[in-house]
Amino acid sequence: MAAERIGRLAGKVAIVTGGARGIGAAEARLLASEGAAVAILDMRDDLGEAVVAELVAAGGEALYRHLDVTSEPSWQQAVAAIEAWKGHIDILVNTAGINVRGPLGTVALADWNQVLAVNLTGPMLGMKHVAPAMARAGGGAIVNITSNVSLIPSRGASYTASKWGLRGLSKTAALEFAAQKITVNTVCPGVVPTDLNRGQPYLETTAAATPLGRIATADAIAAAVLFLGSYEARFITGVDISVDGRFV
């Protein structure tokens, strides 16, 4: 009889924001398949509960909580609930994000503020409140999902600014949290087909312009997150991993 496989994240507790669909859901599924107990934090309660039910049906441990990433009290309550659930937090994946497209010359201030609130302030609050829990557990790994537009000049004022800002913030966090044995890294996806952009013509043109001849899948992004959250990456911090087929 074959020995039961022990996952790379057995005994770990992971938080995935934006885990109800798309890239976040792929990350939650992969982390759970490798043995992590996964807390999915999102605002799409129906979809989040469905992913949790799927993970539990597959034999995993999972929890869903409604979270507004821009709310500090919401983060505080979520961290307390997850520590009460499993006693520790080992991995934080900040995936939740939005994009309001438009050039700098026409960007509405309300749109600018909302994109930065979700894409930059949200991860900041997550790191601020999860890092102490990780320190209590002896260390941990934070993975922030940015974008390959955080590596090059790009159109789209608010989104690009938020992702460049998150890259910089991640490097600051890597320095500040190192003494607590917490690593902080970013994954920079290229274009990934999700329910939000499926069927858009730019997917085909991007694939044609990518040296590997295709665009990434959500599973490819999740694989990079798994590596950075695993024991193998314990001495890697402050780096950006581009997952875009060398498009940039």
Side-chain angles (χ1 to χ4, degrees), residues 39 41 63 65 75-87 89:
L41 309 183
L63 171 76
R65 278 192 64 91
W75 268 111
Q76 292 169 317
Q77 293 160 13
V79 170
I82 295 164
E83 282 197 292
W85 175 49
K86 296 302 293 182
I89 299 172

Side-chain angles (χ1 to χ4, degrees), residues 175-240:
L175 288 173
E176 292 191 5
F177 297 157
Q180 301 169 57
K181 300 182 180 178
I182 298 170
T183 61
V184 185
N185 296 290
T186 70
V187 172
C188 310
V191 173
V192 177
T194 67
D195 292 339
L196 298 178
N197 63 12
R198 211 173 303 279
Q200 292 295 317
Y202 66 79
L203 297 179
E204 187 174 334
T205 57
T206 301
T210 300
L212 283 183
R214 54 189 170 82
I215 54 179
T217 63
D219 289 342
I221 312 306
V225 169
L226 170 62
F227 169 68
L228 291 173
S230 71
Y231 179 79
E232 290 89 341
R234 65 195 181 280
F235 206 59
I236 297 173
T237 194
V239 305
D240 310 303

